[in-house]
Amino acid sequence: MSFSWTPHRFAGGALALDVANSVVLRHDEARRIDRFAIGAQMRDFTHAAAKFCAERALFGDIAPVSAENERDFIALREAIDLYFRKRILDGGDDQLLAALLVAMARTLREASPASLAAATAHSVLRLLAMPDPQRMKICGNCGWLFIDRSKNRSRAWCDMAVCGNRAKANRHYRRKKEETP
């Protein structure tokens, strides 16, 4: 399948969230797509992150995840998604936080300090220390995690140009369909 890393794929607002969002339609088993299932896509993500990620200035040039660290990196990605999704929905879970910290520690011990894996672990630390954690949300359209940086904290979609537009078009379609006799 042909795929490119576009600015929309980095709508999370933090590297760790963009990594977690690399699984498209995560909760729909029939349509779920893991963009890191192919090693080349994971390497391409690293290069695209240098251009599009909101935290690109913090991490500078990062190296792709090495083949021997890929399994730990995927475990870190899943721990990020589980913990922050639970934190947004229910306020957090100590066991999920512990699992996230274990995955981060393993990553920081094993990965190259200049790698995507290490940068992702550092991004998680920044998210955990975020002064306004209620700004982290789940997109109402695609289910991705993102940071709402709007002034009034009313953002409902990860990306207005893609998900916001789809949601509004869908709402318009349903309204028109109901009006038709």
Side-chain angles (χ1 to χ4, degrees), residues 77-121:
R77 177 188 69 179
E78 296 308 306
I80 291 167
D81 186 78
L82 283 171
Y83 174 72
F84 286 110
R85 195 168 296 278
K86 179 76 169 170
R87 180 169 142 181
I88 293 164
L89 295 172
D90 302 327
D93 179 290
D94 288 343
Q95 289 185 345
L96 292 177
L97 176 59
L100 176 59
L101 293 173
V102 167
M104 284 174 35
R106 184 179 312 116
T107 297
L108 291 171
R109 268 194 313 274
E110 304 297 329
S112 163
S115 72
L116 173 63
T120 300

Side-chain angles (χ1 to χ4, degrees), residues 1 22 25 40 45 49 62 76 78 82 92 101-102 106 145 148 150 156 158 177:
M1 177 189 316
S22 66
L25 301 170
F45 176 90
I62 51 178
L76 175 61
E78 296 308 306
L82 283 171
L101 293 173
V102 167
R106 184 179 312 116
L145 303 171
D148 178 1
S150 67
C158 64
K177 190 174 180 178

